């Protein structure tokens, strides 16, 4: 079962800690619906459409996420949390190289559409780096999980020894932008991933 994404309290609440109380259960369907709606229609999609797909009232959505920006922020953090959890699950895979490649592919799949959210936030005055700083626990989970996958691949001599986790994250972020430029063609996307991975292999 895929782990529940970490939910940020809106900025007006003054904290980024998860909110697990049953009274806040309306957050979860709204957040899942928002992820699907924004991935399909882009961040310009209406909050009303999010509420409709979640099966809740628009008032319920606004009670948990008073602006679209806070809703997009929560989606971005949810995707980062998903990436961290999936990387952690791959750390004990038998084949270190396959685990690293699988994670790289998953990062690009999730981050390519996340970039559209980042653009929307930038236009509205928010910043994804600030969001990540607001929840350093998630940021650290992502970094540590990438570092663990990288260390195993280096020990197996399947990845360049001079790479750091920060290098890999930067490369994957760039590849995510490139995937958006290519469009949805799966063959082109697979080719780009193959070229990127080949560039990370030992010389």
């Amino acid at each position: 079962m895929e782990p529940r994404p970490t939910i940020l309290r809106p900025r007006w609440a003054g904290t980024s800690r998860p909110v697990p109380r049953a009274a806040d259960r309306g957050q979860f369907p709204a957040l899942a619906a928002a992820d699907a709606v924004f991935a399909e229609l882009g961040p310009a999609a209406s909050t009303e459409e999010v509420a409709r797909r979640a099966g809740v009232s628009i008032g319920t959505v606004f009670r948990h996420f008073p602006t679209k920006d806070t809703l997009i922020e929560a989606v971005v953090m949810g995707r980062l949390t998903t990436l961290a959890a999936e990387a952690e699950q791959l750390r004990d895979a038998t084949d270190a190289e396959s685990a690293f490649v699988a994670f790289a592919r998953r990062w690009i799949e999730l981050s390519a559409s996340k970039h559209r959210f980042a653009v929307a936030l930038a236009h509205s005055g928010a910043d994804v780096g600030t969001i990540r700083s607001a929840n350093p626990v998630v940021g650290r989970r992502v970094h540590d999980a990438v570092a663990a996958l990288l260390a195993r691949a280096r020990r197996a001599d399947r990845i360049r020894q001079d790479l750091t986790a920060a290098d890999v994250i930067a490369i994957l972020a760039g590849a995510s932008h490139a995937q958006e430029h290519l469009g949805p063609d799966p063959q082109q996307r697979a080719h780009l991933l193959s070229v990127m991975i080949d560039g990370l292999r030992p010389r």
Side-chain angles (χ1 to χ4, degrees):
M1 177 182 291
E2 184 173 284
R4 269 182 179 171
T6 298
I7 308 300
L8 287 179
R9 291 187 187 211
R11 276 177 286 183
W12 48 265
T15 178
S16 61
R17 295 175 59 192
V19 186
R21 299 191 306 271
D24 293 314
R25 62 186 178 275
Q27 279 190 313
F28 297 112
L31 188 59
D35 193 311
V37 168
F38 293 148
E40 178 184 342
L41 304 176
S46 70
T47 310
E48 287 79 4
E49 177 63 14
V50 172
R52 187 188 69 78
R53 293 206 194 181
V56 299
S57 69
I58 188 67
T60 296
V61 176
F62 281 127
R63 184 162 61 251
H64 297 294
F65 307 100
T67 68
K68 184 183 287 187
D69 285 353
T70 56
L71 184 56
I72 294 173
E73 288 176 13
V75 169
V76 171
M77 288 307 305
R79 289 193 172 209
L80 287 173
T81 302
T82 296
L83 280 170
E86 293 186 3
E88 289 164 354
Q89 291 172 358
L90 287 167
R91 283 187 301 197
D92 297 325
T94 303
D95 188 330
E97 180 183 12
S98 295
F100 184 86
V101 172
F103 175 73
R105 181 179 292 109
R106 184 60 170 151
W107 176 292
I108 292 170
E109 287 174 354
L110 284 178
S111 297
S113 57
K114 187 190 77 175
H115 173 59
R116 292 199 295 272
F117 304 151
V119 170
L121 285 168
H123 288 169
S124 67
D127 178 78
V128 172
T130 301
I131 299 168
R132 192 177 296 113
S133 298
N135 198 326
V137 173
V138 175
R140 175 52 57 184
R141 276 188 70 192
V142 172
H143 181 277
D144 289 351
V146 171
L149 288 174
L150 178 61
R152 291 191 68 227
R154 282 200 308 244
R155 285 196 297 270
D157 198 27
R158 305 306 300 169
I159 294 293
R160 290 175 53 142
Q161 297 296 318
D162 59 345
L163 284 175
T164 67
D167 293 334
V168 171
I169 290 172
I171 291 167
L172 291 176
S176 299
H177 287 264
Q179 290 277 20
E180 286 198 342
H181 177 73
L182 284 176
D185 188 313
Q187 289 186 328
Q188 285 186 315
R189 286 179 171 242
H191 176 67
L192 179 65
L193 179 63
S194 174
V195 170
M196 183 198 75
I197 295 298
D198 284 346
L200 301 181
R201 296 187 192 283
R203 296 176 179 175

